[in-house]
C-alpha cells in the first residue's frame, strides 16, 4: 500500500514483503495449480487530495505464481472495474483475457472427455471381443479412390432419395428422424456389379460422404478369404454405433454393469434380439443411423439367409438406412425377393462408373505415353476402357503390365494378347511366372496365399516359404512382383488381388495350377511338423503348472497360424496315398505336445478353437477311412482324443481360462482313467483320484433330485428353471449349476417359458399366470379361465402368448401384464374333421388337445383328437392349412398328434411332428411337403436353438438325437427308467435338459458339436463325414437313496465314516478309496444326520432323521494295508465286531452331538435343551441338562482344555463355557459378550451394522485361536477372517459378570475366488473352497494381518459340485482331501501338494502385492 496508515498493529502486515503476506502467498501456491489466474493492476494514478498516487502498486497486485497471467488496465483504482460501454478498451481487454481462459479450459475439457470416450469404447470392445473398427479396410478403399471417383454415385437421384435429409443444407443442419424413413422411400440401397468393378471402392466413398456431413455411419467389409460370423458383423456394427452415439454407448455400459455377457462367440440370434431389437431399435435416436455393408455375397449362404431374415423384421419406425453391395443376381437377390425387402438399386459399369475408370487410367499413364501411342495406334485410353467392360480390376491389372512395356509395339502386343475374359490374362501372367527363375518360389507363395485359412502376414509368409521349400527371402516387398502382381500386400497382409484369381488358379482354366487337396495336405504336414517341434515342447520339469510353456515374446512367427489352423487343413485333405503320412504326425502330436497347444489356446481367453478342432478332426478321420484302417493305432488315438477335447471345454473350460497351465497336471489327473489325456499325461504323477465313477466320460453332466414331482422346465442364456409340483420354481446358473433363487408360484407349476433376451420367466399353473423379472422378482400375475397348453414370449420379449384349451390365445404385455387383443389362430367356423361310420365328414366344434406357437415364424400348430395337424399362419395371411401325413391323404382316421417342434432357424424350413402310431415326421411348414419319417414311438420333442438337432423322448424312456435336416439318427441315450416329461436345449445347443419323475437331468453328449463352427464353404460337403453312428449311450445312474448326507474322519486314521440317505453307514479307506464295510444298525431308508467319532475309545455315535441315537464301539483295522486274502478277511471281520453302547430316541430334532474326550458321555443338543447322556448304561436318562433359548446355539470342544466345552449363542455374539462333568457352568449366567469385529487390516471400514457371524467356528487341537469367515459389506469380493483368541478369555465360575471380549477381523480381497465354504483347519492352515471351485488355504502360522496372499491347490470339476447343495469335504491328511459327490466319496490323494501362491488384491488404492510365479510342490 502506498497511502493510508493506522494505529492498528495488523496494518503493518499489509506492507509489501511482510511475513504474513509471504505466508499467505506460499499457502495459496499449493492450491492454485488448476486455477486460470489473471491479475489486473491499475495503470493510472488515483487523485488523492492534492496529489495523484498508485493505490495498489503492481508488486502488490501480482502474486508471482506459476501460470499466472498479468495485465495492466488504463484506469485508476476507482475505475478499474467500471466500464462506460462494451466498446470500452478496458472492457475489451478483460473480454479477450476471459475468452482465452475459457478456450484453455475447453481444450482441457475436450481432452478429458476424449480420454473418457476412449476408455468407454475400450471397455465395450473388450466386452464384445471386437478388436477394433474395420478402419484398415476403409483406409485401403480410400487409397484406391481417385479424386472425383464415385461422385456419380452420391449425386445419383436414387442415392439422394435414399437419404432422409437434404445433404446440401449449409451448416449442414441435419434433421433428426424420429418416425423412421418417409413413406415409399426404401430403407435399402443395393449397389451391384461384376467382380472387380469397384463396388468396394464405391462403398468407401459412401462412408466418407456420410462422414463428411457428420452422420452416424457404421460399416463392414466382407472379404472372400475370410468368413466372419454373423455375430462378428453385428457386434462390429454395434461397437461403431456406440462410438458415435452417446445413448447407445451408455446403454451398453449399463448392460455390462448388470452382468450381461455378450461376445464374438455368442449366438447371433441372441445378439440381434438383445442388442438391436431389445435396445438400440427401441431408442428415440436423435439422428438417423446408416449402415454400409460391402460384398454381402461373400457372406456364407446360411448366415446370409439369417441376416436377410433379420433385416426384413426391422420395424419401419427405426431410423436406419442400409447400403449394401454385391454381385448382381445370385443368392442376395433371391433372398431379398424372398423376404420381400423393398430397395432401390444401382449398378456399376454404367457410363458414370466408366468415367471413373477413365480418370484412373489417365492418372496412371503419362501424357507422353498416351500421346506416343495415339499418334501411332489410336486412342489408348478409349481402347483400355472399352476392353475393361467396366471391370476396375481389369484396368488395374492392365495398367501394371503396360508399365513394363517400353515400346509402342510392346504396348500394342500387351493389349492385343489380353482378351476380354480375365482368365486369359491370368493365363498369360501364369505363363510368365512358370518361365521365370522364381517359378518354384512363386508357386509356393501362391499355394499358401490361396489355401491359407486367413491372410498371412509378410513375416508369416516368409517363414512358411522357408519351412516349405527351404528358401529364405531377404525382404517381403517382392511378393507381388514374384507372383506377377496376382497378390497384393495391404497393411502387411498378403492376399490375392481378387477372388477371381483364386478361382482361376484352382480351376481347370489353369490346369489346376494350385491343386487344393494336395496343397492342404502339404500345409497340414508343415503345421503338424511345427507343432511337434521345440516351440511346442511341454515343460521338462514335473512342476508343470508352475511354468508356462514357451510362449509370448519367444513365439515363433508360424506358431499362431499352426496352432489355430492345422485342423482346418486336415479337414480339407481328400483321402489319398499322400495323406497317409499325416496320421503318424497327428498321433505324435497327441502323444507329446498337445498339452502345450491346449495351454496356448486357453491363454487366448477363448476355447471355441477346441470345438472347431474337434469338428475338423472328425471330418479328417471320417474321410481317411477310405485309405486307412480305423483300427490303425494313430487313428484310434486321434479318435479318442477328439472325444476328450469336447469334454475339456465343457467341464474344465472355466478352470483352463483361469489358469491355463493347469493342463499339465490337474486336468490330466482329473480326467477319467480311460481318457487319452489321463492315459498319456496323468499316470506320471504320484497324485491320484480315488473314486468309483471316474473311469470314463459320462454323457450326463449332472442330475437334480427333488422332494416333489418335476412338472416343467425352461432354459435361458444364463440360467435354467425347474417347475415343481409343490408350487415352487427353482432357478439355477447354467455354468456352475448353483441355485440362484427359489420362487413360489402357489400351485403346481405346469408350464414354464423363458424370454429370448431379457431373462424374464413366465410360470403357469391351472389357475394363475405369473411373470418374473430378470432377477426373478415377481412383475405381475393374472388369473386364467382355462387350462393353458403352452407358453411363449414374442421375439423381443414384449409380449407373452398363452394358448388355452378352448382355442383362444391370450396375449399380455410382459412388463405390466396388460391384457391385449387375443391372437386369432382359428378361421371362422373352424372345425375338425372326423370320419363317421358311414364314411361321411361331419362338422363339429371341438377343443384342441395341443397348441404350440412359433412367434419367430408366425405359425401356430393345432392338434385335435383324431384329426390332421392344423397350421395357422396368423402373422401373414390368417389362413389355416391342414397337413396330411403320407398314407392319409385320401381319408381315413389319422393317428393322434402327440407333440410338435418348430425349427426356428431361418436357414431351414422344417418342423417335426410325433404321432401316436410311432412315426416321427418332418415337413416344410410353408409348403406342407413331408420330408422324412422315422418310426420311434416318440411323445416329447424339442429343437435346438441353432436348428441343427432334434431331440425326441420315446415310450422306452430313451432320448434320441437326430440331425433335423434329413432326420438322421445321431445317438440314443438310455438306462433311466422313468417316463420323459419334457426336454429343453441350452442356448448354445450343446447341452440339453430332461425332466422325469422327481429328477432333472443335464446331458452334454459328444455328438452335439456346433455345426455352424465350420469355417469355409466346404462345411456342407463335410456333413456326411460328421454324422456319427446311432449308438445307445448308457449313463451311470446316481443312486439317490444312497446319497451321502454326512461324513466324519476316524481321528487321524485313514478311515472315513459316511452316513447315507438309506440309513446305512459306510466305512471308506482313504488310501485306496474303497468301501471297507457297510454298517446297518439304523432303520432302512431313514437318513443319517450326525456322525461323531471318539478315537480314544473307538466309539461311533450316529443320529438319524427319526431322532434315533446309537453309540457303537467299532474296531478299525490296522493302518497297514492288507496284502493277502487272509488279512483282508480279518480286517473285514474286525469292522463288523460291533458293541452297541447306547440306543435311544431323542425327544426332539437333534441339532448337534458331541462325545466327551474320555468317551463316558455324549452331548445331545436339540432346539430347546442340551442333555448329557452317559455311555455304556444303555439308557436314555440324561445326567445333566441345559436349557437354551437362543435359536442359533453351537457347541464346540475347547481346543486347548479337553475338560471344557464352548457354547456360542445369539449368532456367535455370546460365549459360554461349561465343564464336561455335569455341564457345570464356568462363566457368568449371561455369558461373555463378544464384541462385533471391525477389520483392522482393511483400508475402508465397513458401515454398521456389522456382518452377521456364522454359528460355525473352526478350531484345531492345541491352538487357542478359533476362526470363521464372513462376507464383508465394505467391498465386492471382500472376505473377513474373524478370529477369537481364547487365551484372553478368563474362566471364573464364581464371577457374576464378565467383560466383553473383542473379536479380531482381517479383511482381504480374494479376487474372483472368494470363500464359498470352509473345509476346516489342518495343521497351520485354514482350507476353503472358493466360489470358482478351487481348494485354497491361508496360512495361520503367522498372524493373518501379515499374510500377503493365499495358496491355490487344485480345482474341483464343476460337474462334481452340480446339485450338491452344501459341499461335504475335509482335509484327511497332509496332502489329501476327501469330498462327497452324491453317492460316492472322492479322495484327491496328494492334491494339496500342488501350490500356486496368489496375492490378496489391494483395495486401498496403494501398491498391490505382486503375484509371484506359481509354485507347484511335488515329490
Amino acid at each position: 500500500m502506498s497511502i493510508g496508515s493506522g494505529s492498528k498493529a495488523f496494518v503493518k502486515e499489509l506492507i509489501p514483503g511482510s511475513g504474513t503476506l509471504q505466508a499467505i502467498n506460499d499457502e495459496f501456491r499449493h492450491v492454485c495449480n488448476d486455477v486460470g489466474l489473471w491479475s489486473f493492476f491499475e495503470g493510472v494514478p488515483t487523485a488523492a487530495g492534492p496529489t495523484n498516487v498508485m493505490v495498489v502498486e503492481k508488486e502488490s497486485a501480482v502474486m508471482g505464481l506459476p501460470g499466472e497471467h498479468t495485465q495492466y488496465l488504463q484506469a485508476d483504482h476507482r475505475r478499474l472495474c467500471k466500464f462506460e460501454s462494451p466498446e470500452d478498451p478496458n472492457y475489451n481487454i478483460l473480454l479477450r483475457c476471459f475468452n482465452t481462459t475459457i478456450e484453455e479450459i475447453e481444450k482441457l475439457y475436450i481432452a478429458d472427455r476424449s480420454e473418457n470416450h476412449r476408455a468407454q469404447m475400450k471397455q465395450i470392445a473388450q466386452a464384445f471381443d471386437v478388436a477394433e473398427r474395420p478402419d484398415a479396410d476403409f483406409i485401403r478403399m480410400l487409397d484406391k479412390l481417385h479424386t472425383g471417383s464415385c461422385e456419380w454415385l452420391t449425386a445419383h437421384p436414387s442415392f439422394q432419395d435414399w437419404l432422409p435429409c437434404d445433404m446440401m443444407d449449409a451448416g449442414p443442419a441435419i434433421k433428426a428422424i424420429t418416425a423412421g424413413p418417409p413413406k415409399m422411400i426404401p430403407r435399402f440401397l443395393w449397389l451391384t456389379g461384376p467382380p472387380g468393378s469397384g463396388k468396394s471402392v464405391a462403398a468407401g466413398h459412401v462412408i466418407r460422404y456420410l462422414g463428411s456431413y457428420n452422420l452416424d455411419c457404421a460399416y463392414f467389409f466382407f472379404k472372400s478369404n475370410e468368413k466372419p460370423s454373423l455375430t462378428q458383423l453385428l457386434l462390429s456394427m454395434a461397437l461403431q454405433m456406440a462410438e458415435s452415439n452417446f445413448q447407445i454407448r451408455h446403454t451398453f455400459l449399463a448392460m455390462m454393469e448388470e452382468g450381461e455377457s455378450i461376445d464374438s462367440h455368442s449366438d447371433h440370434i441372441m445378439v440381434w434380439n438383445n442388442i438391436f431389437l431389445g435396445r438400440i431399435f427401441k431408442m428415440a435416436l436423435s439422428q438417423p443411423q446408416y449402415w454400409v455393408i460391402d460384398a454381402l455375397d461373400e457372406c456364407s449362404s446360411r448366415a446370409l439367409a439369417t441376416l436377410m431374415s433379420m433385416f426384413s423384421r426391422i420395424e419401419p419406425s427405426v431410423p436406419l438406412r442400409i447400403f449394401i453391395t454385391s454381385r448382381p443376381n445370385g443368392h442376395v437377390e433371391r433372398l431379398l425377393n424372398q423376404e420381400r425387402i423393398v430397395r432401390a438399386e444401382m449398378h456399376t459399369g454404367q457410363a458414370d462408373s466408366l468415367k471413373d475408370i477413365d480418370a484412373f487410367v489417365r492418372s496412371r499413364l503419362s501424357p507422353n505415353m498416351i500421346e506416343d501411342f495415339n499418334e501411332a495406334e489410336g486412342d489408348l485410353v478409349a481402347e483400355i476402357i472399352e476392353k475393361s467392360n467396366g471391370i476396375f480390376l481389369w484396368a488395374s491389372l492392365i495398367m501394371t503390365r503396360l508399365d513394363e512395356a517400353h515400346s509402342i509395339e510392346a504396348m500394342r502386343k500387351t493389349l492385343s494378347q489380353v482378351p476380354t475374359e480375365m482368365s486369359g490374362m491370368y493365363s498369360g501372367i501364369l505363363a510368365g511366372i512358370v518361365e521365370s527363375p522364381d517359378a518354384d518360389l512363386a508357386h509356393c507363395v501362391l499355394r499358401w496365399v490361396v489355401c491359407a485359412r486367413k491372410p498371412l502376414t509378410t513375416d508369416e509368409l516368409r517363414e512358411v516359404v522357408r519351412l516349405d521349400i527351404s528358401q529364405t527371402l531377404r525382404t517381403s516387398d517382392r511378393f507381388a512382383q514374384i507372383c506377377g502382381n496376382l497378390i497384393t500386400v495391404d497393411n502387411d497382409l498378403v492376399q490375392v488381388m481378387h477372388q477371381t484369381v483364386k478361382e482361376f488358379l484352382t480351376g481347370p482354366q489353369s490346369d489346376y495350377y494350385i491343386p487344393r487337396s494336395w496343397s492342404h495336405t502339404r500345409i497340414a504336414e508343415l503345421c503338424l511338423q511345427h507343432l511337434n517341434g521345440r516351440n511346442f515342447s511341454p515343460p521338462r520339469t514335473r512342476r508343470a503348472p508352475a511354468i508356462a510353456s514357451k510362449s509370448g515374446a519367444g513365439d515363433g512367427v508360424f506358431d499362431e497360424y499352426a496352432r489355430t489352423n492345422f485342423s482346418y487343413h486336415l479337414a480339407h485333405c481328400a483321402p489319398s496315398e499322400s495323406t497317409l503320412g499325416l496320421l503318424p504326425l497327428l498321433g505324435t502330436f497327441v502323444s507329446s505336445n498337445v498339452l502345450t497347444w491346449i495351454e496356448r489356446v486357453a491363454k487366448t481367453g477363448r476355447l471355441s478353437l477346441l470345438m472347431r478342432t474337434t469338428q475338423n478332426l472328425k471330418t479328417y478321420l471320417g474321410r481317411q477311412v477310405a485309405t486307412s484302417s480305423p483300427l490303425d493305432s494313430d487313428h484310434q488315438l486321434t479318435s479318442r482324443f477328439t472325444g476328450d477335447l469336447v469334454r475339456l471345454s465343457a467341464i474344465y473350460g472355466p478352470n483352463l481360462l483361469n489358469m491355463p497351465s493347469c493342463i499339465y497336471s490337474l486336468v490330466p489327473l482329473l480326467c477319467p482313467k480311460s481318457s487319452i489325456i489321463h492315459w498319456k499325461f496323468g499316470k506320471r504323477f504320484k497324485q491320484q483320484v480315488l473314486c468309483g465313477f471316474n473311469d470314463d466320460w459320462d454323457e450326463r453332466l449332472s442330475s437334480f433330485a427333488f422332494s416333489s414331482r418335476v412338472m416343467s422346465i425352461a432354459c435361458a442364456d444364463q440360467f435354467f428353471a425347474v417347475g415343481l409340483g409343490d408350487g415352487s420354481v427353482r432357478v439355477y446358473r447354467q455354468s456352475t449349476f448353483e441355485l440362484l433363487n427359489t420362487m413360489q408360484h402357489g400351485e403346481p407349476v405346469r408350464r414354464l417359458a423363458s424370454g429370448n433376451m431379457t431373462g424374464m420367466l413366465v410360470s403357469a399353473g391351472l389357475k394363475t399366470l405369473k411373470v418374473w423379472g430378470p432377477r426373478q422378482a415377481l412383475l405381475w400375475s393374472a388369473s386364467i379361465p382355462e387350462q393353458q397348453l403352452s407358453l411363449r414370449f414374442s421375439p423381443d420379449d414384449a409380449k407373452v402368448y398363452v394358448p388355452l384349451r378352448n382355442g383362444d390365445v391370450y396375449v399380455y404385455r410382459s412388463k405390466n401384464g396388460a391384457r391385449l387383443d387375443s391372437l386369432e389362430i382359428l378361421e371362422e367356423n373352424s372345425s375338425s374333421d372326423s370320419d363317421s361310420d358311414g364314411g361321411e365328414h361331419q362338422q363339429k366344434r371341438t377343443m384342441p388337445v395341443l397348441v404350440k406357437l412359433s412367434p419367430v415364424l408366425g405359425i401356430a400348430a393345432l392338434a385335435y383328437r383324431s384329426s390332421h395337424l392344423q397350421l395357422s399362419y396368423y402373422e401373414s395371411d390368417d389362413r389355416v392349412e391342414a397337413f396330411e401325413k403320407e398314407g392319409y391323404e385320401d381319408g381315413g382316421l389319422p393317428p393322434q398328434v402327440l407333440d410338435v417342434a418348430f425349427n426356428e432357424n431361418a436357414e431351414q424350413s422344417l418342423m417335426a411332428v410325433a404321432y401316436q402310431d410311432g412315426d416321427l415326421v418332418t415337413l416344410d411348414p410353408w409348403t406342407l411337403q413331408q420330408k422324412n419319417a422315422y418310426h420311434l414311438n416318440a411323445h416329447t420333442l424339442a429343437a435346438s436353438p441353432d436348428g441343427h438337432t432334434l431331440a425326441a423322448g420315446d415310450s422306452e424312456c430313451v432320448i434320441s438325437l437326430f440331425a433335423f435336416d434329413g432326420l438322421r439318427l445321431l445317438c440314443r441315450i438310455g438306462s433311466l427308467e422313468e417316463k420323459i416329461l419334457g426336454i429343453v436345449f441350452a442356448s448354445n445347443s450343446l447341452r440339453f435338459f430332461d425332466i422325469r419323475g422327481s429328477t432333472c437331468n443335464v446331458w452334454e453328449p459328444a455328438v452335439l458339436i456346433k455345426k455352424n463352427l465350420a469355417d469355409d464353404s466346404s462345411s456342407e460337403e463335410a456333413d456326411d463325414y460328421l454324422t456319427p453312428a446311432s449308438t445307445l449311450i448308457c449313463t451311470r445312474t446316481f443312486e439317490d437313496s444312497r446319497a451321502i448326507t454326512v461324513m466324519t474322519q476316524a481321528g487321524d486314521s485313514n478311515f472315513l465314516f459316511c452316513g447315507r440317505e438309506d440309513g446305512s453307514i459306510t466305512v471308506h479307506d482313504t488310501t485306496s478309496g474303497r468301501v471297507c464295510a457297510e454298517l446297518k444298525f439304523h432303520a432302512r431308508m431313514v437318513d443319517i444326520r450326525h456322525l461323531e467319532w471318539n478315537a480314544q475309545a473307538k466309539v461311533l455315535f450316529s443320529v438319524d432323521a427319526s431322532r434315533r441315537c446309537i453309540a457303537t464301539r467299532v474296531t478299525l483295522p490296522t493302518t497297514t494295508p492288507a496284502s493277502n486274502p487272509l488279512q483282508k478277511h480279518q480286517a473285514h471281520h474286525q469292522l463288523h465286531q460291533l458293541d452297541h453302547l447306547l440306543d435311544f430316541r431323542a425327544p426332539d430334532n437333534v441339532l448337534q452331538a458331541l462325545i466327551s474326550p474320555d468317551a463316558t458321555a455324549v452331548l445331545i443338543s436339540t432346539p430347546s435343551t442340551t442333555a448329557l447322556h452317559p455311555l455304556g448304561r444303555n439308557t436314555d436318562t440324561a445326567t445333566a441338562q441345559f436349557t437354551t433359548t437362543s435359536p442359533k446355539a453351537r457347541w464346540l470342544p475347547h481346543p486347548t482344555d479337553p475338560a471344557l466345552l464352548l457354547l456360542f449363542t445369539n449368532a456367535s455374539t455370546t460365549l459360554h463355557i461349561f465343564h464336561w462333568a455335569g455341564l457345570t457352568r464356568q462363566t457368568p449366567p449371561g455369558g461373555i459378550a463378544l464384541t462385533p469385529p471391525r477389520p483392522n487390516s482393511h483400508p475402508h471400514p465397513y458401515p454398521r451394522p456389522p456382518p452377521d457371524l456364522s454359528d460355525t467356528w473352526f478350531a484345531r487341537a492345541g491352538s487357542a485361536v478359533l476362526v470363521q469367515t464372513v462376507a464383508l459389506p465394505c467391498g465386492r469380493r471382500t472376505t473377513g477372517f474373524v478370529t477369537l483368541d481364547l487365551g484372553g478369555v478368563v474362566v471364573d465360575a464364581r464371577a457374576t459378570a464378565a467383560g466383553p471380549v473383542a473379536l479380531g477381523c482381517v479383511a482381504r480381497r480374494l479376487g474372483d475366488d472368494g470363500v464359498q465354504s470352509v473345509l476346516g483347519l489342518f495343521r497351520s492352515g485354514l482350507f476353503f473352497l472358493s466360489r470358482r471351485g478351487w481348494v485354497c488355504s491361508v496360512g495361520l502360522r503367522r498372524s493373518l494381518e501379515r499374510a500377503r496372499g493365499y495358496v491355490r491347490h487344485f480345482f474341483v470339476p464343476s460337474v462334481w459340485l452340480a446339485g450338491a447343495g452344501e459341499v461335504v469335504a475335509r482335509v484327511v491328511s497332509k496332502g489329501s482331501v476327501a469330498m462327497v459327490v452324491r453317492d460316492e466319496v472322492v479322495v484327491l490323494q496328494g492334491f494339496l501338494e500342488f501350490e500356486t501362491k496368489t496375492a490378496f488384491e489391494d483395495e486401498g488404492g496403494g501398491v498391490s502385492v505382486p503375484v509371484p510365479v506359481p509354485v507347484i510342490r511335488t515329490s
Side-chain angles (χ1 to χ4, degrees), residues 44 212 1298:
V44 177
S212 67

Side-chain angles (χ1 to χ4, degrees), residues 12 63 131 205 217 313 327 368 394 414 428 619 685 700 737 786 952 963 1097 1204 1344:
K12 296 180 180 180
M63 292 178 282
H205 172 72
C217 176
R313 287 169 171 76
R327 301 179 186 183
N368 292 335
W394 188 95
T414 298
T619 303
F685 291 94
R700 180 167 64 169
F737 300 150
E786 289 276 349
L1204 298 179
L1344 280 170

Side-chain angles (χ1 to χ4, degrees), residues 670 689 691 693-694 1356-1362 1364 1379-1381 1386 1388:
L670 292 170
V689 178
C691 66
F693 65 84
N694 203 38
V1356 179
S1358 59
V1359 294
W1360 292 5
L1361 301 173
M1379 68 176 301
V1380 172
V1381 179
V1386 180
L1388 297 143

Side-chain angles (χ1 to χ4, degrees), residues 302 611-612 615 907-908 944 946-950 962-966 968 970 988-990 1007-1016 1019-1020 1022-1024 1026-1028:
R302 292 181 177 178
M611 301 299 296
R612 190 164 67 234
Q615 181 189 23
E907 301 160 8
Q908 304 185 37
S944 62
D946 63 7
H948 293 313
T949 310
L950 174 68
F962 295 87
F964 215 134
D965 185 11
R968 294 169 293 168
L970 303 178
N988 64 3
S989 300
L990 297 178
V1007 298
L1008 290 185
I1009 299 172
K1010 250 188 177 180
K1011 295 183 179 179
N1012 61 3
L1013 283 175
D1015 29 34
D1016 73 300
S1019 60
E1020 287 84 355
D1023 280 349
D1024 291 338
L1026 284 170
T1027 305

Side-chain angles (χ1 to χ4, degrees), residues 1293-1316:
R1294 296 170 297 177
T1296 58
V1301 174
L1303 297 174
C1305 182
V1306 177
R1308 289 289 181 261
R1309 295 191 66 182
L1310 304 179
D1312 290 332
D1313 279 330
V1315 177
Q1316 177 176 330

